[in-house]
Amino acid sequence: VVFWPREMNMKVIKSCGLSYVLSYLKVASSVEMSDLCNYIIEQLEGRKIAFSKDIFSRLCQTKNEELVVRSLKCCNTMPNIAFGKELVTRMDEFKSEKINSEVMEVLKRTTSTNNETSLSIGFMFLDMLEKHRMIVSLKNARECIVEAVLSKTCAQIFKSNNVGRLAKFAFLSKSSHFNKFVDEVTKVDVRQVRLGLILENLMLLGDEAVAHPLVVQLANKRAMQLHSKNQGGIPQFSWRQTGANFPGSQSGEVNSFLRGKKEAQTFYNFNGISHARNWASKYFGSYGQRLGYNATAVPG
């Protein structure tokens, strides 16, 4: 059905709802596309509709830098790693300082929550930047995560699986960041800090880190921690990771396994071998191998 005049046509399309507007963008003329995209942005900025990956993808297809930047300002956080992947793809496509800067703001908002899942998403976002060899953006993103986490530090973060990488990036960042990191660590009960993981990551940085006075301070704190743990004798080995928090699909089953006694586990709920291989690569690929764990997908 074609409505005339064109202004009435646009009015009717907008009244049909967001999903119809997004679908119509695929066939809209350049004039119509500009009108509809500005309508979407106004709806986002007025908080009349929620930001989504689908909206962002459609706006990116216009190749309009200003619209993309305005849409990112309406994005509170990265809801999942799939959206993080979309952001990296668009950063690589546009190569725009304005868009890159706004993505960094989204990253800050995501990781400043000090939520384990959000921090995991942030670190997987870093891995994707590294995979795309976006060196400048990678350095900026590391700085953003360190600044965001340290701006709202809570004790829970020091029991996190990501605290080792956070320590390493804080050391590689401004000296004030590492000073702040160590200062926050020393305020927390020694039993509530994964000092072993922190020191393990710092040792990877070589002699400069090993000899640093603040790293020595952390090592002394670790010695006190081990002494306290071993007063009743050497603890029995266990595969339990009581603080594990897996951010991907099947998180319930995976977290039960990680927090349990088993060394290995088989998972079955996949839509074929391709789905299983993608899952294993996405969540247990190079990132997992660096931390000493892996997953393999086989037909069954």
Side-chain angles (χ1 to χ4, degrees), residues 173-220:
S173 184
K174 303 171 185 175
S175 59
S176 59
H177 285 160
F178 192 59
N179 291 345
K180 169 75 170 171
F181 177 84
V182 175
D183 184 52
E184 294 297 328
V185 168
T186 56
K187 293 177 183 177
V188 180
D189 186 328
V190 70
R191 294 167 296 183
Q192 302 299 314
V193 182
R194 298 190 65 181
L195 279 169
L197 186 57
I198 291 173
L199 288 168
E200 180 183 330
N201 277 265
L202 289 172
M203 294 304 100
L204 296 173
L205 299 177
D207 293 343
E208 183 182 357
V210 172
H212 195 286
L214 291 179
V215 177
V216 174
Q217 182 180 331
L218 291 176
N220 290 333

Side-chain angles (χ1 to χ4, degrees), residues 127-178:
D127 292 334
M128 285 186 287
L129 288 175
E130 186 172 13
K131 184 177 181 180
H132 281 71
R133 298 179 182 175
M134 300 168 71
I135 306 304
V136 174
S137 294
L138 177 62
K139 182 178 182 297
N140 292 338
R142 287 172 175 170
E143 293 270 354
C144 284
I145 289 179
V146 172
E147 288 180 7
V149 173
L150 293 180
S151 68
K152 298 181 180 178
T153 309
C154 67
Q156 190 67 25
I157 200 67
F158 297 113
K159 295 194 294 184
S160 155
N161 292 328
N162 294 300
V163 71
R165 293 185 80 185
L166 180 63
K168 183 169 68 173
F169 295 153
F171 186 88
L172 293 171
S173 184
K174 303 171 185 175
S175 59
S176 59
H177 285 160
F178 192 59

